[in-house]
Amino acid sequence: MNYLLKSIVLIALTLLMACSDQTTGAGDQEQKPKAYVFTDYSDKTELFVEFSALTVGQSSSFAAHFSTLSDFQPVAEGTVTIILSSKDQPTERFSTDSPVVPGIFVPKAEPRYAGKRQLTVELESKTLTVRHELGEVPVYQNLAAALAEADDEKDQGGDIPFLKEQQWKVDFATEVITRHELQKSVRALGTIKASAGHEAYVSAPTSGHVLTPADALPKVGMPVEKGQVLASLSARLSGTSDMAQLELDAQTARTHDQLARNEQNRAELLFKDGVIAKRRLIEARSNTQVTGAELNAAEKRLKQTREQSVGSASGIKIYAPISGTLAQVNIASGSYVEEGAKLFSIIDPELLWLDARIAEADIAQLKTPERASFKVDGFDNEFQIQLGENGKLISYGQVIDPVTRTVPLVFEFQNPQRKLSVGSLVQASIYTDEKAQSIAVPEAALIDDNGQDVVFVQSGGESFQRRVLKLGIRDHGYVQVISGLNEGERVVTKGAYLVHLASSSPAQLGAHGHAH
């Protein structure tokens, strides 16, 4: 529907121009007044405007395209005013109070004063008030004067057309090229690991069956606290012993202990009467101590086994040694586990390690690492490790691995909102102390075009130029530009690949200007 409305407006403009051409005679039918095109930026908006040369008493339509720089979307409402001013003539204002389609306003100007005039375009809406000062333009006394000044414009080619209507329908953005402080780095493959003291494995203290019901067993991903009961086991009885045997052993020990005590009492009386020597009394007392100890041990074994029986509500409890998140759960209710089997793995995700592997060829460049960054699949932004702020250097190996020809470099860092997972493979950059002040381009703007690093520079509101760059240091999502760009130029950072496709489209080979 937007294209239909715009087509109607442009057809009407074309008919108006055709009528104006007829007034100049048959010989001038091919000649048209000069077309003016401006692209200008305020702190909030981009203006791309087109219009034909202004003539006193003639109505000229301005195709003013307004985009917001916050999201590069069309301005959907507001009043646009064309202002013509000069020192020696009254100021003239021509307004339209709504766009013909979102983003495109078509105010009509019919100037009354000829001469050089300052052109200003104002936009006022509920959320925006901006002025675009476009500089000096001529206002001609009549159409003949305008035609006499018209340039014999020819298509110079080279620029890639990508219309505002196309930009507004896709994820599109541009950015001005400025200078940045960039820090040299070396690339490395890395792995995210749990830091020392923040990972624990919980093993079975004895062989036995898992007593904890299925609905009470902890699940992977659950948070646990240090000392929390994770599960309970019923211990397997050692050797060939069973409950009946233990009860028999306890009863036997109890009988032996009673006999020993009786014998000691008898020895005490006989020694008092001088019937036996003191040695016999000492032996009787010693035997009582031994049988008492045996009885105590037998009763403890029987009690412990009864508490650990399958029908018991307790058993041997398994505790969490640290606070954190359960990474592995290797048991099920009722299953049998062997002593030493790994039952749980717990990770405290607050602190992690980046274990980066530095290639042998890069070791000499790295010298003293100052900070690191890395990218993880699934995340748009880079993660930054700044020594002394959110991380520290744990170790920097001095021995080259004979297989991988790399040296390990380990950083400890805080895990932001516990986003990262242990075991993730990452692309890391380790930064040296070498820095440079230079113009830089966002990495998002770069296109790999048959092995060449290419960006697209916005030369006008709807025109772009392909530039091949020579690049240097990469840092914080920016890349040093050694050649190919100038400070202040504006490059496409979102939608660059679509502009690249437009540059190779056969339809654009003959296109130039605002081909609506």
Side-chain angles (χ1 to χ4, degrees), residues 309-329:
S309 63
V310 176
S312 172
S314 56
I316 297 178
K317 293 181 173 59
I318 310 298
Y319 298 95
I322 63 172
S323 297
T325 301
L326 279 172
Q328 290 182 337
V329 176

Side-chain angles (χ1 to χ4, degrees), residues 201-208 233 330 337-344:
Y201 294 98
V202 183
S203 301
T206 183
S207 300
L233 300 177
N330 300 324
V337 297
E338 293 286 352
E339 181 179 352
K342 186 171 72 173
L343 307 182
F344 302 97

Side-chain angles (χ1 to χ4, degrees), residues 187 373-377 379-383 425-429 443 477:
R187 295 297 183 96
S373 66
F374 59 91
K375 292 181 178 180
V376 183
D377 288 343
F379 294 90
D380 294 331
N381 298 327
E382 278 191 330
F383 292 89
L425 295 176
V426 303
Q427 288 283 350
S429 297
E443 286 187 314

Side-chain angles (χ1 to χ4, degrees), residues 179-184 434-438 473 480:
R179 301 185 73 83
H180 295 259
E181 182 179 82
L182 304 174
Q183 194 168 3
K184 190 174 182 180
E434 183 178 341
K435 299 178 182 179
Q437 283 281 350
S438 173
I473 298 172
Q480 179 186 17

Side-chain angles (χ1 to χ4, degrees), residues 164-316:
K164 283 299 175 189
E165 293 90 329
Q166 294 171 286
Q167 298 173 26
W168 291 333
K169 290 183 179 296
V170 299
D171 191 15
F172 182 86
T174 63
E175 185 175 318
V176 177
I177 296 299
T178 59
R179 301 185 73 83
H180 295 259
E181 182 179 82
L182 304 174
Q183 194 168 3
K184 190 174 182 180
S185 64
V186 298
R187 295 297 183 96
L189 290 176
T191 306
I192 302 300
K193 296 182 177 180
S195 64
H198 290 76
E199 181 178 24
Y201 294 98
V202 183
S203 301
T206 183
S207 300
H209 289 85
V210 179
L211 297 178
T212 308
D215 58 354
L217 276 176
K219 308 296 188 296
V220 171
M222 287 179 55
V224 296
E225 296 295 331
K226 182 178 180 179
Q228 178 179 332
V229 176
L230 303 177
S232 60
L233 300 177
S234 65
R236 183 186 69 179
L237 301 180
S238 61
T240 58
S241 298
D242 56 18
M243 186 66 70
Q245 181 64 48
L246 291 176
E247 289 176 348
L248 176 61
D249 292 344
Q251 184 60 41
T252 301
R254 197 174 294 115
T255 301
H256 289 167
D257 183 62
Q258 186 61 48
L259 289 173
R261 290 183 184 278
N262 292 339
E263 182 62 25
Q264 179 183 341
N265 290 335
R266 180 173 172 273
E268 295 280 0
L269 293 175
L270 293 175
F271 177 75
K272 185 176 180 181
D273 294 338
V275 176
I276 62 173
K278 186 175 182 180
R279 179 179 58 81
R280 293 284 301 277
L281 176 60
I282 294 173
E283 288 177 351
R285 289 175 177 174
S286 176
N287 190 42
T288 301
Q289 291 176 349
V290 171
T291 58
E294 290 175 346
L295 174 60
N296 185 53
E299 288 180 340
K300 282 185 176 181
R301 284 196 298 270
L302 179 60
K303 180 181 178 182
Q304 183 181 31
T305 303
R306 282 173 175 167
E307 290 178 349
Q308 295 170 1
S309 63
V310 176
S312 172
S314 56
I316 297 178

